[in-house]
Each structure stands twice: as C-alpha cells, then as structure tokens.
Amino acid sequence: MRRLALVGLIAGLAAGLGAQEPTEVTAPDPRSAVGAPSGRALSGSALDAESDRVAGLLRCPVCQGLSVADSPTGMAVKMRQQVHEMVGAGYDEEQILSYFERSYGEFVRLEPPLRGVNWLVWAGPVGGLLLGAFAIRRALRSRPGTVGSAGEPPSDAGEPLPGPDSLPADESLAAYVLSVRERAYGWPGGISPSRPDTLAPPRKAEGSAS
C-alpha cells in the first residue's frame, strides 16, 4: 500500500510540473504595433537580400554579441523568419526595427538611433579626438624653443652664426684669421674683395723689432 501511494505521489508531481511548463509567447501583430506597411512588398531574391540586410541591423537578445543575421540561436532563427515575413508584406526598415524595439527595447538595435542620450555615443569619439588635438597643440606651443604661430624663431635662440667675413673679437685671433685668408685666398690683408668695408683689427708689421 505504501509503495502504491508513493508511486501515485510521484506521478502526480510529474503531471503538475508538466502542466506548469512555460508556453511560447505569441508575437504581436505588426499592424497593431507599427501600423500598415509603408513600403513595397518584395519577393524572390530581392526579398532575401533585404531580409538579410535588415536582420543584420538587429542584435540577438540571447548571444548579444552577434546580429540576428549571424546568430545560430533558435530565437535569432525565429526573428529572421519574422523579418522575412514583414519585408515580404511591405514593411520598411524603420517599421521592422520599431516592431522589435517594442518587444526587446532599444538594445535590440545594433546602431542606436540619434536621439536623447544616444547623441553622446556618436559624438563622444569625435569630441574626444578634437579635445586631444587641442591639448597636444597647446602643449607644443607652450614648450620652450618651439616655433611660434607666425613662424618666428624661438625667443631663446642663440646668437646668429658668424658669416664668412666676420672676425673674432680677440685682436690676436682676428689677425691670425686674416693672415690665413690672405695666404689661402690671396686676399690683400685677408679682406674679401666682396666686402672691402670689412674692418680688420690692426696688425703688427712683420719683421719689426721685438
């Protein structure tokens, strides 16, 4: 008797669990969700191509990292079939995306629409690049020894390099330079013929008594 009662209890529990299994939720009618089709009904290869394109704009709610067109999950397969039917009935892209957005939220769109805080998603990277470029330019302009905005040389640049006719400030060294120029180039007194106005320091006469 006890064994029969135990078997009956197990059978009753199994029947109760089977009766509580969740049933598949029926998708809402597209007309009640987004209205009448506003596009052109397609068929054949055009229908397949457009269905694949629109399915690629939807995110799979299960795997989330793939689009509905690329996901192998059962839910993605059903969503692809829904997209195919809606495209064939003449629903356009925005109507189909809005239809799935009503069921799964804005997250189902792989590309968030430009509205509300979604502007930050699109404008954030561009704004970051502009701010970075501004910061780099300002840092370069503030560094010492850099060229100014108008192309002027830096204010702390050293003295200009000596020209070919310039002479050292030291008289004895200047006399030696003039002597070398006179012997090397044949310039009288070591002064360049192109610069006769070059002032040479006074030199002691050669052969004078020491």
Side-chain angles (χ1 to χ4, degrees), residues 137-161:
R137 181 181 180 184
R138 187 170 183 177
L140 291 177
R141 288 170 63 88
S142 63
R143 288 179 57 188
T146 56
V147 178
S149 59
E152 298 89 355
S155 57
D156 59 346
E159 295 294 331
L161 295 176

Side-chain angles (χ1 to χ4, degrees), residues 50-153:
E50 181 65 10
S51 299
D52 292 340
R53 188 188 70 83
V54 176
L57 302 176
L58 294 169
R59 188 192 312 273
C60 176
V62 177
C63 54
Q64 299 183 2
L66 296 175
S67 68
V68 170
D70 299 326
S71 176
T73 63
M75 180 173 290
V77 172
K78 294 179 181 179
M79 292 175 69
R80 284 199 299 269
Q81 182 62 31
Q82 285 181 288
V83 171
H84 192 272
E85 293 175 357
M86 293 182 69
V87 172
Y91 288 94
D92 60 13
E93 172 188 317
E94 185 58 31
Q95 285 183 306
I96 297 174
L97 296 180
S98 299
Y99 172 77
F100 285 99
E101 185 178 349
R102 290 171 64 94
S103 300
Y104 301 100
E106 194 175 276
F107 176 77
V108 78
R109 293 178 181 244
L110 279 176
E111 298 179 0
L114 296 178
R115 64 189 182 208
V117 295
N118 290 335
W119 278 101
L120 298 177
V121 178
W122 294 93
V126 178
L129 289 176
L130 294 177
L131 289 176
F134 175 78
I136 293 174
R137 181 181 180 184
R138 187 170 183 177
L140 291 177
R141 288 170 63 88
S142 63
R143 288 179 57 188
T146 56
V147 178
S149 59
E152 298 89 355

Side-chain angles (χ1 to χ4, degrees), residues 162 166-181 189-190 199-204:
S166 60
L167 294 173
D170 184 81
E171 294 185 0
S172 59
L173 183 58
Y176 175 77
V177 171
L178 290 173
S179 175
V180 171
R181 290 177 180 174
L199 298 178
R203 294 191 300 167
K204 296 180 180 181

